[in-house]
Amino acid sequence: MSQQTQLIEFLKQEFSLSTEAIALGLRRSASTPNLLPIVLWQYGLVTTHQLEQIFEWLEASVV
């Protein structure tokens, strides 16, 4: 399973983000997929605290 797929599952499970919200983020970050968390934050789909949790999860999953 790719890291992006794992991230999407994490967003759905931990933050109950809808498929539509994630799809919006993916469309807006298509040219640079690593920016998905930032795009979600910019559109108000995650809070600053949630963004920090996402970054922590990403850092831990890179191991």
Side-chain angles (χ1 to χ4, degrees):
M1 186 181 298
S2 74
Q3 184 171 2
Q4 184 174 32
T5 303
Q6 291 176 354
L7 174 59
I8 290 169
E9 287 304 312
F10 173 76
L11 294 171
K12 287 180 180 179
Q13 291 175 6
E14 293 296 317
F15 305 122
S16 299
L17 281 180
S18 69
T19 302
E20 294 80 14
I22 294 171
L24 170 69
L26 289 170
R27 280 193 308 273
R28 297 296 180 198
S29 66
S31 61
T32 49
N34 294 337
L35 294 182
L36 176 60
I38 298 295
V39 170
L40 294 172
W41 173 74
Q42 286 177 327
Y43 279 86
L45 300 170
V46 297
T47 65
T48 305
H49 178 69
Q50 290 171 322
L51 182 62
E52 183 178 319
Q53 289 178 297
I54 294 167
F55 287 145
E56 288 172 0
W57 180 87
L58 285 168
E59 185 177 340
S61 71
V62 171
V63 177

